[in-house]
């Protein structure tokens, strides 16, 4: 499977690091199998007891308050990650998740769940900021895209775990299963190497060489190649670290502003597609489909399986077809799928139309959306986040991106139930469809290709693009001046002729 020991070690390290992302996935997927139990006040078939009674408003807070916690940590961790390192910051998420799942097990109150979800949001903010950076910095240029897809792959694995186990076990058992992931993460990631980029930033060249030597296979025959790569990394880092490292540096140059714009567009497209609301509310949404051949929980499980499986082709395609084609297919395909689902629910909820022969449409359209989303929008946000920012702004810009994701995701998740209650679920899907199509147009005109390029090459291309635009702007300005001068000369000649 792996052509070399170097590839295996990079894949292995990325897999262990993204166990932190799997933890985030479990916290995202957890509400779906338990939410209907809470809202309906149903007695659990395994334990013969009712857990927590919730109103519709309380359940929407349990789903969405995780995003408030996710709003707190990105900027502080964006500063901290350049001082203490990528590895220690990621390790702090393990204890946060362990404590949160223990609270789920040993306390049964809605307000405690608010605390739990907020705590899990704090950990998610760290994971979503640091993990893409760590993966990008340990990866070689030729496999960075594939390794970056581990982020969405492990996120979907965590969600699928909740979907698979949740409907068939009791409340406490599901929490115990979720608790296993952070324990395993702490026991394994502590042995992984620190990012060689960070070590060079701190002047720890010997440690950086050891880290890179291990990541690239640890063979003496490749020593010269590793030394050359280390020298290039050092030159890139030293050049970038000569710039300031304050917050405003992420918008201090045209290239940095363009990098920020590119990543924010993809981040907005990711969230406005609606995936952050479709997943936790999946069972509730499918329950609205009358006469379905399978239960809402089975629909949700099928959705989770397809989302999980669809991440594997992305790992193969992202370094072959490139980022842009996958993003374009994902944006426009997701928009069409959401439009179809919205139309079905519009007819079902507002018109007396017999749709019994078409009750398969919601399942097909929503699962198609999830699959198409997972080949582009889902995996490529962390990929671009790790690629487009230079070393001196990568942490802060990652924090800003996480906040963008968090704010919009919170609004999408919180408003999903509000829109359902006041207008109908169809309006959610129409909003998501319009958002995907608009973002697809922006992707086409603004986002460049970055496959197979080193960090230095990406920054060089951004600067060339800015220089080219400046040159064109200056040329247009000069042409306008020339036209005005020519017009003035013609007027003077005409005036002289008239006077003569």
């Amino acid at each position: 499977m792996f052509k070399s020991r170097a590839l295996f070690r990079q894949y292995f390290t990325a897999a262990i690091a993204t166990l932190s992302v799997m933890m985030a996935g479990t916290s995202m997927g957890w509400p779906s199998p338990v939410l209907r139990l809470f809202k309906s006040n149903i007695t659990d078939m395994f334990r013969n007891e009712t857990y927590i009674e919730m109103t519709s408003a309380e359940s929407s807070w349990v789903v969405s308050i995780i995003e408030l916690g996710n709003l707190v940590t990105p900027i502080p961790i964006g500063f901290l990650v350049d001082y203490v390192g990528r590895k220690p910051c990621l390790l702090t998420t393990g204890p946060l998740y362990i404590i949160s799942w223990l609270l789920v097990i040993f306390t049964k109150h809605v307000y405690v769940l608010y605390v739990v979800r907020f705590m899990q949001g704090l950990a998610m903010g760290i994971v979503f900021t640091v993990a893409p950076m760590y993966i990008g910095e340990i990866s070689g240029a030729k496999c960075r895209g594939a390794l970056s897809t581990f982020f969405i792959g492990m996120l979907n694995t965590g969600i699928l775990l909740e979907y698979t186990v949740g409907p068939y076990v009791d409340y406490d058992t599901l929490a115990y299963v979720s608790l296993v992931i952070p324990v395993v993460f702490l026991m394994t990631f502590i042995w992984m190497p620190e990012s060689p980029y960070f070590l060079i930033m701190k002047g720890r060249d010997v440690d950086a060489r050891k880290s890179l030597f291990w990541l690239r296979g640890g063979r003496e025959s490749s020593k010269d190649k590793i030394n050359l790569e280390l020298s290039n990394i050092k030159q890139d880092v030293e050049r970038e670290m000569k710039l300031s490292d304050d917050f405003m540096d992420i918008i201090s140059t045209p290239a940095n502003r363009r990098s920020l714009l590119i990543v924010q567009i993809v981040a907005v497209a990711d969230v406005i597609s609606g995936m952050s609301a479709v997943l936790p509310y999946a069972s509730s949404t499918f329950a609205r489909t009358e006469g379905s051949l399978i239960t809402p929980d089975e629909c949700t499980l099928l959705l989770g399986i397809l989302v999980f499986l669809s991440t594997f082709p992305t790992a193969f395609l992202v370094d072959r077809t490139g980022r842009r084609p996958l993003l374009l297919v994902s944006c426009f395909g997701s928009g069409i799928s959401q439009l179809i689902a919205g139309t079905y629910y519009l007819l079902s909820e507002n018109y007396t139309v017999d749709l019994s022969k078409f009750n398969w449409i919601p399942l097909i359209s929503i699962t198609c959306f999830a699959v198409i989303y997972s080949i582009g929008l889902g995996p490529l946000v962390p990929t671009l986040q790790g690629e487009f920012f230079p070393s001196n702004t990568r942490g802060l810009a990652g924090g800003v991106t996480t906040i963008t994701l968090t704010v919009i995701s919170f609004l999408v998740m919180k408003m999903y139930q509000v829109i359902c209650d006041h207008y109908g679920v169809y309006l959610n899907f129409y909003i998501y469809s319009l958002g995907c199509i608009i973002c697809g147009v922006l992707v086409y005109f603004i986002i460049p290709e970055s496959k197979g390029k080193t960090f230095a090459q990406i920054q060089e291309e951004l600067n060339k693009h800015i220089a080219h635009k400046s040159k064109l702007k200056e040329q247009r300005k000069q042409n306008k001046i020339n036209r005005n001068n020519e017009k003035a000369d013609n007027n003077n000649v005409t005036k002289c002729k008239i006077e003569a």
Side-chain angles (χ1 to χ4, degrees), residues 385-413:
Q385 182 179 330
E387 286 182 336
F388 275 89
F389 300 119
S391 299
N392 66 307
T393 63
R394 198 167 291 145
L396 289 175
V400 171
T401 304
T402 302
I403 286 180
T404 300
L405 290 166
T406 300
V407 171
I408 303 176
S409 184
F410 172 77
L411 293 174
V412 168
M413 293 170 70

Side-chain angles (χ1 to χ4, degrees), residues 101-244:
W101 291 123
L102 291 175
L103 287 174
V104 170
I105 294 166
F106 293 110
T107 58
K108 302 291 190 295
H109 197 284
V110 64
Y111 294 115
V112 176
L113 286 185
Y114 291 164
V115 174
V116 165
R117 299 291 285 170
F118 185 80
M119 186 180 299
Q120 291 177 343
L122 295 176
M124 279 181 59
I126 299 172
V127 169
F128 284 20
T129 302
V130 181
M133 187 188 317
Y134 180 81
I135 295 169
E137 290 179 353
I138 66 166
S139 309
K142 293 183 179 179
C143 66
R144 190 190 313 119
L147 291 185
S148 294
T149 62
F150 274 47
F151 189 99
I152 191 65
M154 294 297 265
L155 189 70
N156 290 338
T157 302
I159 294 170
L160 179 61
L161 178 66
E162 302 297 310
Y163 286 2
T164 305
V165 178
Y168 308 108
V169 300
D170 62 53
Y171 180 86
D172 288 348
T173 301
L174 182 60
Y176 278 117
V177 171
S178 304
L179 178 62
V180 171
I181 311 302
V183 172
V184 173
F185 170 71
L186 280 178
M187 294 173 60
T188 54
F189 187 63
I190 195 171
W191 305 106
M192 295 298 103
E194 177 59 274
S195 158
Y197 277 81
F198 169 76
L199 294 172
I200 288 177
M201 285 169 59
K202 293 302 174 183
R204 296 164 57 184
D205 292 8
V206 175
D207 291 334
R209 187 184 183 283
K210 289 179 180 177
S211 173
L212 194 65
F213 189 74
W214 188 88
L215 288 166
R216 298 302 182 260
R219 295 183 184 276
E220 288 297 322
S221 58
S222 58
K223 184 186 298 184
D224 293 339
K225 189 175 180 181
I226 292 171
N227 286 334
L228 178 61
E229 183 178 359
L230 187 66
S231 176
N232 291 335
I233 292 174
K234 188 172 182 179
Q235 290 177 11
D236 295 340
V237 170
E238 287 176 349
R239 182 181 65 252
E240 292 166 357
M241 294 308 293
K242 288 179 182 178
L243 303 173
S244 63

Side-chain angles (χ1 to χ4, degrees), residues 277-293:
V278 168
L279 288 177
Y281 284 106
S283 293
S284 301
T285 302
F286 288 129
R288 296 172 180 267
T289 307
E290 296 183 4
S292 179
L293 297 177

Side-chain angles (χ1 to χ4, degrees), residues 437-454:
I437 292 171
I438 292 174
C439 289
V441 174
L442 293 176
V443 166
Y444 180 81
F445 286 105
I446 294 176
I447 298 180
E449 185 56 74
S450 60
K451 73 168 184 175
K453 296 174 183 176
T454 65

Side-chain angles (χ1 to χ4, degrees), residues 288 290 341-355 419-430:
R288 296 172 180 267
E290 296 183 4
T343 302
Y344 174 90
Y345 284 115
L346 173 66
L347 296 175
S348 174
E349 295 175 349
N350 294 276
Y351 298 94
T352 56
V353 179
D354 182 14
L355 297 175
I419 291 173
C420 285
D421 293 341
H422 289 82
Y423 302 99
V425 70
Y426 74 92
L427 185 57
N428 283 306
F429 289 105
Y430 279 157

